[in-house]
Amino acid sequence: MIRLCVFDFDSTLMDGETIDILAAAYGVGDEVKDITHKAMSLGIDFFESLTRRVSLLKGMPYEKVLEIGKNLPLMNGSFELIEFLKSKNILNVVFSGGFHEGIDPAMKKLGFDLGFANYLHQKEGKLTGLVGGEMMFSNSKGLMLQRLKKFLNLKDEEVMCVGDGANDIAMFEQSGLKIAFCAKEILKAKADICIDTKDLKELMKVIK
């Protein structure tokens, strides 16, 4: 029986990539998208790709970042899925290699129990191009899930993970049920179940 469900955020709970949306609003969309694509396909190291992408946002007004974060498009079926999980007393947690500026408003809307992500550093109302937080490295999600399992006294088979990209591999390795949602091939190869329909309600069919 599943007791904990860990979700990726970008392109899983949210329909898109937060940093791509921020970059497009700041006029550096093409450069950031290229790095994002390479990172998600494991072309370059996650930490390197994250810091390179965030550096391109230097000077962006932080107020604009917060405004965009509040209005990110949630994935089809997200509200129904979280309501379903809560009805089964399953804890819902977000692990995002993105930013609290994006996941925190979504967590309030969806009613998540807990969330881990990174913070965009800002000074005097503008982004400095620096970033820090809980999910900076390719193995961060795996390490955090190890801690959560120990804290909650959970076995692997009581944990499921849902993600779409290369930096979700680490949490898959700590999980009993691994679900690739509209995912890159590199993650599909590690998954127990692959869902290619862009609707999170599909997950309700496989959760016991």
Side-chain angles (χ1 to χ4, degrees):
M1 180 180 286
I2 301 298
R3 294 177 57 197
L4 170 67
C5 183
V6 181
F7 289 90
D8 172 46
F9 184 67
D10 293 330
S11 297
T12 302
L13 282 174
M14 193 273 286
D15 193 1
E17 295 288 323
T18 303
I19 195 159
D20 288 351
I21 295 170
L22 292 172
Y26 194 50
V28 292
D30 290 342
E31 299 99 306
V32 166
K33 257 187 180 177
D34 183 56
I35 301 170
T36 298
H37 175 73
K38 290 176 181 176
M40 295 302 284
S41 302
L42 210 60
I44 55 177
D45 175 76
F46 181 77
F47 174 76
E48 180 189 357
S49 72
L50 177 65
T51 52
R52 279 172 58 185
R53 287 177 289 169
V54 171
S55 71
L56 293 169
L57 299 177
K58 183 177 181 179
M60 185 174 184
Y62 192 60
E63 189 175 329
K64 181 68 173 175
V65 173
L66 295 177
E67 179 188 336
I68 291 170
K70 289 177 184 175
N71 295 289
L72 293 171
L74 297 177
M75 188 66 71
N76 186 33
S78 56
F79 286 94
E80 292 89 343
L81 174 60
I82 301 309
E83 185 177 345
F84 172 77
L85 294 174
K86 283 184 170 293
S87 75
K88 297 176 77 68
N89 294 315
I90 296 173
L91 287 171
N92 302 288
V93 179
V94 182
F95 286 179
S96 176
F99 317 108
H100 276 284
E101 289 84 357
I103 77 161
D104 290 356
M107 283 177 58
K108 286 182 181 178
K109 292 175 187 175
L110 292 169
F112 265 81
D113 296 299
L114 195 61
F116 299 92
N118 301 312
Y119 294 90
L120 291 164
H121 185 248
Q122 61 95 14
K123 190 174 181 180
E124 297 175 354
K126 293 188 177 181
L127 296 187
T128 64
L130 300 175
V131 61
E134 303 125 1
M135 294 282 150
M136 293 286 289
F137 304 101
S138 59
N139 64 342
S140 292
K141 293 184 179 184
L143 293 173
M144 189 63 76
L145 185 49
Q146 275 185 323
R147 294 173 189 149
L148 266 184
K149 286 191 299 182
K150 187 174 181 180
F151 181 72
L152 297 170
N153 194 27
L154 296 178
K155 300 173 183 177
D156 287 0
E157 57 265 32
E158 295 175 304
V159 179
M160 67 175 271
C161 287
V162 186
D164 77 300
N167 73 322
D168 296 317
I169 292 173
M171 70 176 184
F172 268 30
E173 292 172 347
Q174 298 293 324
S175 175
L177 179 59
K178 311 162 183 62
I179 300 179
F181 180 76
C182 298
K184 308 292 186 297
E185 290 301 324
I186 193 164
L187 191 68
K188 284 184 176 184
K190 307 283 186 180
D192 298 313
I193 297 170
C194 296
I195 294 175
D196 293 317
T197 303
K198 210 173 183 181
D199 187 343
L200 285 171
K201 292 193 294 294
E202 292 292 313
L203 272 70
M204 293 160 62
K205 302 173 183 177
V206 301
I207 298 169
K208 297 177 182 178

